[in-house]
Amino acid sequence: MTELPILCLAGPTASGKSATTHTLAQHWPIEIIVMDSATIYRGMDIGTAKPSAQEQAAIPHHLLDIRDPAERYSAAQFAADAQALIQDIRTRGHLPLLCGGTMLYYKALREGLNELPGADQSIRDQLDEHARQEGWPAVHARLALVDPDTAARLAPNDSQRIQRALEIYLSSGRPMSAWLQEQRPAQNDGLRYITLSLEPSDRLQLHGRIAQRYRSMLEQGLLDEVRRLYARGDLHAGLPSVRCVGYRQIWDYLDGAISLENAIDQAIAATRQLAKRQLTWLRSEPGRHHVDCLASDAPQQIVDIVQRYWPRP
């Protein structure tokens, strides 16, 4: 058991990861370590496509509902939690399966992270105010003046990453790109990782899936879910939970900044951009096994690949 590699099932949003894990569970005693920066939050179920209670009863899922939306959770915390879970799952004679689309979490687990400056709420508040007055593209332009390398790889509306990059510069006096050039701490967990990637052969078909899924979420009550978060009074647009794709656009609608129709259109567009970033990251993964997520037999193809590394019991 200890010699078997750790498998990671990754893919962009709406690529069919949940259906594939269900198929894998029919062949192996798996436990899923969820690799997702949105499903960690309690009370955020519909918009994150969180596994249902029935699905969680059928297959053990870890790292769901571990934070209140007012709290934060870092990639470094994920790496520590995942390493501990891998060992616990193996002691039960089960197979740990990383599954999700937050590729920074995966990178942190395998490679470690640079020691970046910590969060500074006062700086974040200042940047949020700047964005409220002038928009995130203006904040992005400010970043380009002090850290052009980082700004070049970020979209002008990628608020969370733009804010973090400027926060690092303003708190340390050094651009984020300079920090990232330093050597990461080595990971010595002794584990071998295999990446299984669900990728679309037709990007437009994936876009159609994304739009259909988001509108289905609205039918399931996403608007009321965000309203409950909004009504708490202790959450704000600067929090990672509120910035989750599909939530921050509805939040803007509740703030009166945009119409509901515009919020829906922007949420779908932002989800498509997220999928694009996820695919870019995945395609840079050396040695990944990729399967067309649009193929009707995609789950079975993944099973056939897994069989090479995890012989069936």
Side-chain angles (χ1 to χ4, degrees), residues 109-171:
L109 176 62
R110 292 181 310 162
E111 303 175 14
L113 291 172
N114 303 80
E115 293 294 333
L116 299 176
D120 187 316
Q121 191 58 50
S122 65
I123 292 177
R124 292 185 175 187
D125 291 343
Q126 293 170 19
L127 294 172
D128 281 336
E129 182 60 28
H130 184 182
R132 275 192 289 270
Q133 293 182 9
E134 301 185 33
W136 282 106
V139 184
H140 180 266
R142 180 181 174 186
L143 174 65
L145 294 175
V146 297
D147 190 354
D149 290 343
T150 299
R153 62 181 179 81
L154 298 180
N157 286 305
D158 193 349
S159 57
Q160 188 167 351
R161 292 176 177 84
I162 293 169
Q163 184 192 61
R164 179 58 176 148
L166 263 176
E167 175 191 35
I168 288 171
Y169 174 77
L170 293 172
S171 65

Side-chain angles (χ1 to χ4, degrees), residues 44-67:
M44 296 175 57
D45 303 329
I46 298 172
T48 64
K50 193 175 293 179
S52 66
Q54 183 178 6
E55 290 171 325
Q56 294 183 49
I59 309 171
H61 288 67
H62 302 277
L63 302 184
L64 294 175
D65 298 322
I66 60 172
R67 289 291 187 276

Side-chain angles (χ1 to χ4, degrees), residues 34-42 44 48 50 63-69 71-75 78 99-106 160-161 239-245 247 274 277-278:
V34 181
M35 194 175 66
D36 189 291
S37 61
T39 56
I40 60 172
Y41 294 113
R42 295 185 287 273
M44 296 175 57
T48 64
K50 193 175 293 179
L63 302 184
L64 294 175
D65 298 322
I66 60 172
R67 289 291 187 276
D68 181 85
E71 299 174 324
R72 299 175 185 269
Y73 186 70
S74 69
F78 169 83
C99 181
T102 303
M103 300 310 295
L104 178 61
Y105 283 6
Y106 191 35
Q160 188 167 351
R161 292 176 177 84
L239 289 169
S241 59
V242 177
R243 288 184 175 179
C244 288
V245 169
Y247 283 84
L274 171 63
R277 292 195 299 272
Q278 290 168 322

Side-chain angles (χ1 to χ4, degrees), residues 10-271:
T13 184
S15 60
K17 294 184 291 293
S18 295
T20 301
T21 58
H22 177 75
T23 301
L24 289 171
Q26 297 174 13
H27 299 278
W28 290 274
I30 65 171
E31 295 189 31
I32 297 172
I33 300 173
V34 181
M35 194 175 66
D36 189 291
S37 61
T39 56
I40 60 172
Y41 294 113
R42 295 185 287 273
M44 296 175 57
D45 303 329
I46 298 172
T48 64
K50 193 175 293 179
S52 66
Q54 183 178 6
E55 290 171 325
Q56 294 183 49
I59 309 171
H61 288 67
H62 302 277
L63 302 184
L64 294 175
D65 298 322
I66 60 172
R67 289 291 187 276
D68 181 85
E71 299 174 324
R72 299 175 185 269
Y73 186 70
S74 69
Q77 288 173 306
F78 169 83
D81 290 343
Q83 286 176 336
L85 282 165
I86 287 169
Q87 301 307 320
D88 288 345
I89 292 169
R90 283 179 154 180
T91 60
R92 290 190 286 274
H94 294 169
L95 296 166
L97 176 70
L98 297 163
C99 181
T102 303
M103 300 310 295
L104 178 61
Y105 283 6
Y106 191 35
K107 188 179 186 70
L109 176 62
R110 292 181 310 162
E111 303 175 14
L113 291 172
N114 303 80
E115 293 294 333
L116 299 176
D120 187 316
Q121 191 58 50
S122 65
I123 292 177
R124 292 185 175 187
D125 291 343
Q126 293 170 19
L127 294 172
D128 281 336
E129 182 60 28
H130 184 182
R132 275 192 289 270
Q133 293 182 9
E134 301 185 33
W136 282 106
V139 184
H140 180 266
R142 180 181 174 186
L143 174 65
L145 294 175
V146 297
D147 190 354
D149 290 343
T150 299
R153 62 181 179 81
L154 298 180
N157 286 305
D158 193 349
S159 57
Q160 188 167 351
R161 292 176 177 84
I162 293 169
Q163 184 192 61
R164 179 58 176 148
L166 263 176
E167 175 191 35
I168 288 171
Y169 174 77
L170 293 172
S171 65
S172 70
R174 298 178 63 206
M176 183 176 176
S177 54
W179 285 94
L180 294 179
Q181 288 174 2
E182 295 180 352
Q183 182 66 38
R184 294 185 180 90
Q187 294 294 96
N188 295 310
D189 56 18
L191 299 175
R192 179 186 176 203
Y193 295 91
I194 305 296
T195 307
L196 311 169
S197 182
L198 291 166
E199 303 172 16
S201 55
D202 184 340
R203 188 78 62 87
L204 291 180
Q205 285 193 50
L206 181 66
H207 288 178
R209 281 189 181 186
I210 287 170
Q212 181 179 15
R213 188 171 78 157
Y214 193 73
R215 295 188 182 278
S216 176
M217 289 173 174
L218 290 166
E219 293 173 0
Q220 295 169 42
L222 175 59
L223 186 55
D224 287 337
E225 182 173 86
V226 183
R227 278 198 180 107
R228 286 192 292 273
L229 297 169
Y230 190 88
R232 281 180 40 163
D234 64 330
L235 305 179
H236 56 83
L239 289 169
S241 59
V242 177
R243 288 184 175 179
C244 288
V245 169
Y247 283 84
R248 67 172 177 259
Q249 293 80 15
I250 300 297
W251 197 276
D252 288 344
Y253 159 68
L254 296 175
D255 263 343
I258 56 176
S259 69
L260 179 58
E261 182 179 358
N262 284 340
I264 293 170
D265 289 344
Q266 288 181 23
I268 292 171
T271 308

